[in-house]
Amino acid sequence: MTLAQLFLFIMLLQQKPDSLKAGFLQPPPAARPGVYWYFMDGNQSKTSMTADLESMKRAGIGNLVFLEVNVGVPRGKVDFLSEEWQELFAHAVHEAERLGIEITLGVGPGWSGSGGPWVTPNQSMQHLVASTTKVIGGSAGPVNLPIPEPRKPFFGEGGLTPVMKTQWKAFYEDVAVLAFPTPSAEHQIKDADEKALYYRAPFSSVKGVKPYLTPAITEGPAINKDQIIVLTDKLQKDGTLQWKVPPGNWTIMRFGSRNNGAVTRPAPFPGLGFEADKFDTVAMNAHLEAYTGKLLRKIGPRKTSGGGLRNLHMDSWEMGAQNWTAAFRQEFIKRRGYDPQPFYPVYLGQVVESTAISERFLWDLRQTSQELVLDFHVKHLKDYSHRNGFKLSIEPYDMNPTADLEQGALADIPMCEFWSKGYGYNTSFSCIEATSIGHINGSSVIAAEAFTAENNESWKQYPGSVKNQGDWAFAMGINRFFYHTFINQSLNDSLRPGMTMGPYGVHWDRGQTWWPMADAYHRYISRCQYILQQGRSVADILYLTPEGAPHVFRPPLSALTADEFLPDRRGYNFDGCSPGQLYKAGVKDKRIVFPGGATYRVLVLPASETMTIPLLKKIQSLVKEGALVVGMPPARTPGLTDYPNADGQLQAIAQNIKLQHVTYDSLYPTYDAITKLLDVKEDFSSTGAIRYTHRVTENRDIYFVSNRTDKAVQTENTFRTTLGAPELWDPLTGTTRMLPEFKTESGTTTIPLTFEPYQSFFIVFEKGKAAMAGKKNFIKTNIADTLEGAWQVSFDPKWGGPSKITFDQLQDWTTRPEEGIKYYSGTAIYRKQFPFAKNNQRYYLDLGEVKNLARVKLNGKDLGILWTAPWSVDITTALQKNNLLEIEVVNLWPNRLIGDAKLPDDGVKNGQWPAWLLEGKKRTSGRYTFTTYSPYKPDSPLLPSGLTGPVTIRASSF
């Protein structure tokens, strides 16, 4: 060894290992994606659970959400929460511990909410309801006051079992009786049912649902609060009122508490029950004891690290709203400082004093309801989770009666949901919300219920088809996918595609044709998630949401690109912030900073005329400390607390705050109006359709960049950093390399980048990293050979294809005359021998067009799986003078399902399993496939399948 070599060896020994690069190459378990693991109402076994979990492990799945539902599949033999069911759950937990897979348990049966058959009506979600009786003065006789009827459940009465319907109708508790002179004319509050929290429709799926509520001030007759008489103590048990009615026309309202009709949905039949009261910790404790407590006792001592039961989960809020609980009046008085009883008629849309006063009361009603949900439901559940060694994940959106950001800010792991583009609802707003929450809180993990789908998906999605949307989610700030859904495959493995969640969900389970190749895709996801879980996000703009509930954060459309379903952030990134989160903010170097590490250059206030005094004082302190705050001063407080004195105090404070004024065209100013105030360049810009996100660690700036188009593009990309020379980290291959071609100017670095369709990279700037000499960032290749002529192809006869056949040329399977190939679904192996003369170049095998995934072997060497562009693999070391090429190609299920649709239907009918399945007999229909749901018909269009090429060998210089 020479002296120079010895010196280099010593230097290498002294270098610290690069843990970030090591984790990128081989991501740790925490970086792996997850699935929603659904069980279909009693259809499960230890064997199927173990098989599912082992297949997840092989495919690179590291997390799961455990839920059981009843959606369009015949009931199984294992009753939910029976002793046998509990044993199976414990088995799943212990198997997950063995395999290193983390389990997240939903906090109730079904896919949303917290309730069950153990919830009694008096501990369920409740409404304040009333009956109205008109009387004329002078009568001394008893007045009969009918018992108020319950409000219709939002989702109808169909979800109530006969026993539950009886309980729903029977439960009633009197609250108050109020009488007042009948107003001279009818005068109602607009949208009173929504404002009083009787109903909150799903924001994602019902058109016209408001993201937030605003007062509607109208003139008209009103109830004089001072003339309201409380007659509660005069109500008899038989519903009669012993009261001598004064002269004039009077209205008597009998108020009482009723169950709101919210039930666990779509729970397994034995798990059907009322939703627990979200305003009451006693009710929540009873629920937790009956469900999670029982399961914790069954599974016994748990591992303290690795796999097993690790988290609890609140899924999307779909149980609607409540506006009453037994202690509501007392809580209201404690929190708002006045008695709500005189305003009870406002619940029903009656105007007390004026619409302005009544709307203020409704704001207080909703605010109190929000605080009770957050304090007695969400925080209580979070405390319970922590006491038991769990973290809590929350999807705080949809029918949420609270402000989404306020509820989500309490999560250990904020979550959102996004549906597969073209196969369901647009819930991208929930991803903006969850990432905003996570960035401000400094959450290392921001998760998503990913690629949810409706019945028109039906096995059409696969790794390649979801890549662009997945990259959109990464650029949005999400860094852990939970694919919706992996159905427990409780049927025999010969029955494929197998179990479904009725018609819902993308099929991300071991019943898929391509599941044996899914690990390559999941490695890509794991690498991306690992890097995106490091450091903190970089954003410049912080949008404050208005106070009040409910509220869905919607940034100005101008801050996003035009694609409504996949809206990408523009060059100056942003987050939304709830008032509750803002109280934790400070100012450093004129930037708004949070304890979790997030920093922003400007705070944008909403165009709201109302604000509470504490929030305005917080904004005042930020301005005094040097923060740039854009907005208009509020004119009044929103509620009746200390009204009207509070309005004067607010106005006095507002006059002494120096805000930056710009023109507002909606709740927020336009993106351009805000960015003109910033004294820095865009964080990222590109000459092409490239999305991005930016994270920063102690010594690195890390940008994720992704081609939004299905075309190859050459782009110039400018990054707001000069920390060091740029590197390209390719999450598809795990390789990293320096980029020699770049230029720096005025605090930015501009790099030419070439992207294949939907290709993505990490561009990493390491502090002090020196540039490397070189010519170009991307090598060019030329075609050295085209593999033309015949191919030997082998299909699996088990799925109807020929074991051996010769293709004279590459062609789509659906164009073949053989029905066994035309309707084939599964894997086929292409084989071809060819000679080749190598020289001192690097060689790549390019497959051309592939439907849908491929594994390449050359001369017996496995070169990996291809599932997205570039459809090429380095074959330099495997290439010989004489070669045997094998390409395993797998397509999707629809073609075989379409072919089978021509044969007699021997599947599930009228909610019953077929007799041959129950009796263990041989099928006689001739069908190859079996599934619990298929929309396909004999004339449904076939999907392109197979290897159509051209298959070429491309060469480049080293």
Side-chain angles (χ1 to χ4, degrees):
M1 180 181 291
T2 65
L3 185 62
Q5 289 173 325
L6 179 61
F7 177 75
L8 179 61
F9 179 71
I10 294 172
M11 289 294 292
L12 290 172
L13 288 178
Q14 290 177 340
Q15 286 182 353
K16 294 181 179 179
D18 191 332
S19 60
L20 191 69
K21 276 190 177 179
F24 177 68
L25 182 61
Q26 296 292 338
R32 293 170 188 160
V35 292
Y36 270 63
W37 194 23
Y38 272 111
F39 293 83
M40 304 307 295
D41 200 354
N43 291 285
Q44 59 247 66
S45 66
K46 287 185 177 181
T47 300
S48 67
M49 285 176 155
T50 295
D52 283 358
L53 290 166
E54 289 180 343
S55 78
M56 292 180 201
K57 179 72 172 181
R58 290 192 297 271
I61 296 295
N63 302 272
L64 63 87
V65 176
F66 186 106
L67 296 168
E68 181 158 347
V69 296
N70 179 354
V71 184
V73 173
R75 283 194 64 197
K77 298 178 180 180
V78 185
D79 282 347
F80 175 78
L81 218 56
S82 64
E83 185 63 29
E84 183 182 4
W85 191 97
Q86 293 180 55
E87 291 287 348
L88 289 172
F89 178 78
H91 171 77
V93 171
H94 297 147
E95 285 291 81
E97 289 178 340
R98 175 177 68 87
L99 296 166
I101 296 173
E102 287 193 6
I103 292 179
T104 297
L105 176 65
V107 294
W111 65 44
S112 185
S114 47
W118 45 83
V119 176
T120 57
N122 67 315
Q123 291 190 334
S124 66
M125 296 178 73
Q126 295 166 37
H127 283 153
L128 183 69
V129 296
S131 65
T132 301
T133 303
K134 302 288 181 70
V135 296
I136 298 174
S139 170
V143 180
N144 184 51
L145 302 182
I147 293 175
E149 290 295 316
R151 290 297 188 98
K152 294 295 182 183
F154 180 85
F155 291 106
E157 298 178 27
L160 300 170
T161 65
V163 171
M164 292 170 64
K165 185 174 288 189
T166 299
Q167 293 176 317
W168 172 65
K169 290 182 176 180
F171 173 72
Y172 175 78
E173 293 180 352
D174 274 309
V175 171
V177 177
L178 304 181
F180 49 85
T182 303
S184 60
E186 192 76 17
H187 185 203
Q188 288 282 311
I189 296 168
K190 185 181 179 182
D191 300 327
D193 277 358
E194 187 174 22
K195 290 176 178 177
L197 296 180
Y198 286 105
Y199 300 111
R200 176 65 175 167
F203 186 79
S204 65
S205 58
V206 176
K207 291 184 178 179
V209 178
K210 304 174 188 69
Y212 54 93
L213 305 179
T214 55
I217 309 303
T218 58
E219 298 297 328
I223 301 166
N224 187 327
K225 183 166 74 76
D226 293 336
Q227 293 181 328
I228 296 175
I229 301 173
V230 179
L231 301 173
T232 309
D233 60 349
K234 298 184 183 301
L235 181 66
Q236 306 302 304
K237 290 184 178 180
D238 62 359
T240 59
L241 183 70
Q242 296 296 335
W243 181 50
K244 184 177 180 179
V245 183
N249 297 321
W250 287 80
T251 298
I252 306 171
M253 300 185 73
R254 181 180 180 181
F255 292 91
S257 178
R258 286 280 201 178
N259 172 270
N260 78 339
V263 300
T264 51
R265 55 181 297 273
F269 188 79
L272 287 173
F274 294 119
E275 282 285 341
D277 189 343
K278 307 302 184 274
F279 293 175
D280 182 17
T281 57
V282 174
M284 192 60 188
N285 284 338
H287 163 71
L288 292 170
E289 174 63 21
Y291 183 52
T292 54
K294 182 178 289 187
L295 295 180
L296 290 178
R297 289 190 293 273
K298 173 57 66 174
I299 63 178
R302 308 192 312 273
K303 289 179 63 177
T304 57
S305 62
L309 188 56
R310 288 285 171 265
N311 309 302
L312 296 182
H313 176 61
M314 285 175 55
D315 212 64
S316 52
W317 190 286
E318 298 180 28
M319 71 288 294
Q322 71 177 95
N323 58 24
W324 193 256
T325 191
F328 188 82
R329 183 182 176 191
Q330 294 90 327
E331 288 290 341
F332 189 101
I333 293 170
K334 181 173 70 175
R335 294 164 187 270
R336 305 278 82 82
Y338 69 94
D339 191 347
Q341 183 170 260
F343 293 96
Y344 288 171
V346 179
Y347 272 85
L348 283 300
Q350 300 275 2
V351 178
V352 174
E353 294 291 285
S354 67
T355 52
I357 294 297
S358 296
E359 289 277 13
R360 282 177 177 259
F361 166 73
L362 288 170
W363 190 93
D364 285 338
L365 164 66
R366 296 191 299 272
Q367 186 69 10
T368 302
S369 297
Q370 169 171 276
E371 290 172 7
L372 294 178
V373 169
L374 299 185
D375 290 347
F376 296 160
H377 181 64
V378 184
K379 288 181 182 176
H380 188 70
L381 182 56
K382 184 177 182 179
D383 290 343
Y384 174 89
S385 300
H386 292 180
R387 286 197 306 272
N388 286 281
F390 300 134
K391 290 183 178 180
L392 177 65
S393 57
I394 302 175
E395 289 183 14
Y397 87 99
D398 220 19
M399 299 174 73
N400 187 3
T402 76
D404 291 1
L405 297 187
E406 296 285 13
Q407 186 184 118
L410 298 175
D412 297 305
I413 303 172
M415 280 188 69
C416 65
E417 177 180 14
F418 62 88
W419 292 67
S420 295
K421 186 174 182 179
Y423 300 112
Y425 302 111
N426 183 357
T427 56
S428 58
F429 70 91
S430 76
C431 299
I432 295 173
E433 291 185 321
T435 54
S436 294
I437 292 164
H439 293 161
I440 290 172
N441 285 359
S443 306
S444 60
V445 174
I446 304 170
E449 180 181 344
F451 305 105
T452 319
E454 288 201 295
N455 58 0
N456 58 340
E457 188 275 332
S458 300
W459 294 278
K460 297 188 188 79
Q461 293 274 56
Y462 59 98
S465 68
V466 302
K467 183 181 187 299
N468 181 50
Q469 188 170 8
D471 288 350
W472 163 82
F474 287 149
M476 186 58 62
I478 294 160
N479 55 26
R480 178 177 288 171
F481 291 170
F482 284 89
Y483 296 88
H484 184 290
T485 182
F486 189 120
I487 299 299
N488 170 237
Q489 293 299 320
S490 58
L491 298 173
N492 188 287
D493 284 351
S494 64
L495 301 176
R496 296 289 175 92
M499 292 287 284
T500 68
M501 186 180 171
Y504 302 113
V506 66
H507 300 278
W508 218 262
D509 57 57
R510 64 186 176 94
Q512 273 285 13
T513 54
W514 43 261
W515 192 252
M517 297 188 188
D519 60 314
Y521 166 73
H522 291 147
R523 275 196 300 276
Y524 166 81
I525 296 298
S526 297
R527 288 187 180 119
C528 290
Q529 293 185 163
Y530 172 72
I531 295 297
L532 294 172
Q533 289 171 10
Q534 310 303 311
R536 62 172 178 84
S537 176
V538 175
D540 298 306
I541 304 169
L542 185 65
Y543 293 106
L544 179 67
T545 60
E547 292 169 290
H551 190 275
V552 178
F553 172 58
R554 303 304 302 268
L557 292 176
S558 54
L560 300 163
T561 59
D563 188 328
E564 184 180 0
F565 211 93
L566 303 180
D568 287 299
R569 298 157 187 258
R570 294 177 63 183
Y572 293 97
N573 205 348
F574 68 86
D575 284 315
C577 176
S578 71
Q581 289 176 299
L582 189 68
Y583 285 112
K584 300 176 183 178
V587 179
K588 183 178 181 181
D589 299 329
K590 295 186 178 183
R591 295 191 187 185
I592 298 104
V593 298
F594 289 87
T599 69
Y600 303 90
R601 298 175 187 273
V602 59
L603 172 65
V604 184
L605 305 184
S608 175
E609 294 184 353
T610 67
M611 188 176 289
T612 61
I613 291 173
L615 181 60
L616 186 60
K617 286 183 175 179
K618 177 62 184 179
I619 292 168
Q620 182 183 43
S621 72
L622 295 175
V623 173
K624 286 182 177 179
E625 293 174 43
L628 173 60
V629 180
V630 174
M632 299 176 289
R636 61 184 185 275
T637 58
L640 289 175
T641 299
D642 196 26
Y643 173 81
N645 296 331
D647 281 9
Q649 296 174 36
L650 182 91
Q651 291 159 10
I653 298 169
Q655 290 174 1
N656 295 308
I657 301 179
K658 186 178 180 180
L659 301 176
Q660 180 73 47
H661 297 288
V662 299
T663 300
Y664 279 64
D665 63 346
S666 59
L667 186 63
Y668 299 108
T670 63
Y671 171 83
D672 289 340
I674 296 300
T675 58
K676 287 177 181 176
L677 303 174
L678 301 179
D679 57 0
V680 293
K681 294 183 178 180
E682 287 181 297
D683 192 17
F684 174 80
S685 62
S686 176
T687 58
I690 307 300
R691 62 169 62 93
Y692 85 104
T693 194
H694 178 193
R695 297 189 73 83
V696 59
T697 66
E698 185 179 354
N699 64 337
R700 284 183 170 109
D701 274 306
I702 302 171
Y703 287 81
F704 174 78
V705 289
S706 166
N707 180 6
R708 302 199 305 255
T709 74
D710 61 356
K711 303 291 191 297
V713 293
Q714 294 182 342
T715 61
E716 292 286 322
N717 307 271
T718 300
F719 304 81
R720 194 175 68 200
T721 183
T722 55
L723 191 64
E727 292 179 274
L728 186 149
W729 295 21
D730 187 347
L732 194 63
T733 61
T735 57
T736 64
R737 59 185 175 87
M738 299 297 297
L739 293 172
E741 190 180 9
F742 67 93
K743 62 181 179 181
T744 60
E745 181 182 2
S746 302
T748 65
T749 302
T750 300
I751 311 171
L753 297 173
T754 300
F755 295 85
E756 292 295 320
Y758 300 130
Q759 193 171 23
S760 55
F761 306 118
F762 287 97
I763 305 300
V764 180
F765 302 84
E766 185 176 355
K767 187 175 182 180
K769 193 83 169 184
M772 185 184 73
K775 294 182 179 180
K776 295 291 183 180
N777 289 340
F778 294 84
I779 60 173
K780 291 186 177 181
T781 62
N782 300 302
I783 295 177
D785 194 8
T786 299
L787 304 185
E788 297 175 326
W791 292 74
Q792 301 300 314
V793 187
S794 299
F795 294 84
D796 188 344
K798 184 172 65 176
W799 298 106
S803 60
K804 289 184 180 180
I805 192 171
T806 299
F807 281 17
D808 293 332
Q809 60 184 8
L810 295 175
Q811 66 183 108
D812 187 331
W813 297 348
T814 64
T815 65
R816 296 286 302 191
E818 305 89 348
E819 289 208 347
I821 299 177
K822 181 177 183 178
Y823 295 111
Y824 184 81
S825 292
T827 301
I829 302 175
Y830 292 72
R831 293 181 175 89
K832 189 176 187 64
Q833 295 183 348
F834 66 94
F836 195 82
K838 288 201 303 184
N839 54 31
N840 191 29
Q841 290 182 294
R842 187 164 292 279
Y843 295 96
Y844 302 87
L845 182 72
D846 190 313
L847 299 187
E849 187 170 0
V850 180
K851 296 295 181 183
N852 295 94
L853 291 82
R855 183 191 301 274
V856 178
K857 295 180 181 179
L858 183 60
N859 300 318
K861 184 176 182 179
D862 190 339
L863 299 177
I865 294 165
L866 300 178
W867 57 272
T868 187
W871 292 92
S872 63
V873 62
D874 191 330
I875 60 172
T876 306
T877 59
L879 194 60
Q880 300 174 5
K881 183 176 181 180
N882 294 297
N883 301 276
L884 173 61
L885 175 63
E886 297 175 283
I887 306 172
E888 299 176 19
V889 176
V890 63
N891 71 334
L892 311 178
W893 275 121
N895 291 355
R896 186 64 269 167
L897 291 166
I898 293 166
D900 282 2
K902 297 181 177 183
L903 301 171
D905 183 0
D906 62 351
V908 174
K909 293 179 182 178
N910 301 317
Q912 300 295 319
W913 295 111
W916 62 263
L917 179 62
L918 294 174
E919 298 168 8
K921 295 181 179 179
K922 187 177 181 180
R923 299 177 73 180
T924 59
S925 67
R927 290 189 172 210
Y928 293 94
T929 58
F930 179 85
T931 182
T932 52
Y933 174 83
S934 174
Y936 294 108
K937 300 177 181 179
D939 60 351
S940 295
L942 298 173
L943 301 185
S945 298
L947 175 63
T948 53
V951 178
T952 58
I953 296 175
R954 304 185 70 89
S956 71
S957 300
F958 278 99

